[in-house]
Amino acid sequence: VVARQSPGSSGINAEYGVRHCTPMENVIRHEVRHYNKLLDVIHTSSKTMAMCLQGEEAMTEDMDKMYQSILDNTMPIIWQEYTGACSKLLAAWVVDFSRKIAFMRYWLDLKTEGTVANQLFGLEYHELLAESKEGVV
């Protein structure tokens, strides 16, 4: 999702018109680059997994481990290289990850509109997202 919206730092600059870099923008840029790398790994490995399951590609040991992890509802090792160790179940992690991406997209859209509140620094992403749905922010 983020990968499609902003394919790197130049994507952020091009799409959102960022002209200078505040500390918060710097943090968001770093997070966007990190999530873009992770999303690329997820997309590539999932596409490869689908091809393996359809018999279009040979199942490697790494793909077999990834398949088993998904069946066990745990984080695939290939993804952990970009996320770090995760004790959450895969399903819960996916929901949390989707919320983080939604928050970043929301924040970038607010920044583009020039309406980012000063209290943003003290809020967690899920709190800000909940307030945005209620129309508070």
Side-chain angles (χ1 to χ4, degrees):
V1 179
V2 174
R4 306 299 169 244
Q5 290 295 321
S6 51
S9 61
S10 62
I12 293 172
N13 290 335
E15 184 169 344
Y16 292 102
V18 177
R19 291 186 181 86
H20 56 75
C21 187
T22 66
M24 187 60 163
E25 289 168 351
N26 194 30
V27 168
I28 295 293
R29 284 181 182 191
H30 173 76
E31 290 298 306
V32 166
R33 282 192 297 268
H34 174 76
Y35 285 128
N36 283 340
K37 288 177 190 175
L38 176 57
L39 286 167
D40 284 342
V41 168
I42 291 170
H43 178 75
T44 302
S45 61
S46 298
K47 188 174 182 178
T48 302
M49 175 61 62
M51 290 170 54
C52 290
L53 294 173
Q54 293 171 357
E56 297 173 11
E57 202 169 300
M59 181 75 82
T60 64
E61 186 177 343
D62 286 342
M63 285 293 108
D64 189 45
K65 288 179 182 177
M66 180 178 159
Y67 181 66
Q68 192 58 48
S69 293
I70 291 170
L71 290 177
D72 294 339
N73 198 21
T74 59
M75 177 73 66
I77 293 172
I78 191 169
W79 299 358
Q80 287 184 22
E81 295 174 18
Y82 295 88
T83 63
C86 180
S87 60
K88 288 184 178 182
L89 294 176
L90 183 59
W93 180 85
V94 168
V95 169
D96 189 47
F97 186 61
S98 297
R99 288 178 180 155
K100 288 178 182 180
I101 291 172
F103 166 73
M104 281 192 284
R105 291 179 71 196
Y106 174 74
W107 191 90
L108 288 170
D109 288 342
L110 280 179
K111 180 59 186 161
T112 302
E113 296 170 9
T115 59
V116 178
N118 290 335
Q119 61 268 37
L120 178 67
F121 291 98
L123 295 175
E124 291 290 325
Y125 71 92
H126 60 281
E127 292 172 337
L128 185 61
L129 197 57
E131 288 181 0
S132 71
K133 289 178 183 175
E134 296 170 5
V136 175
V137 176

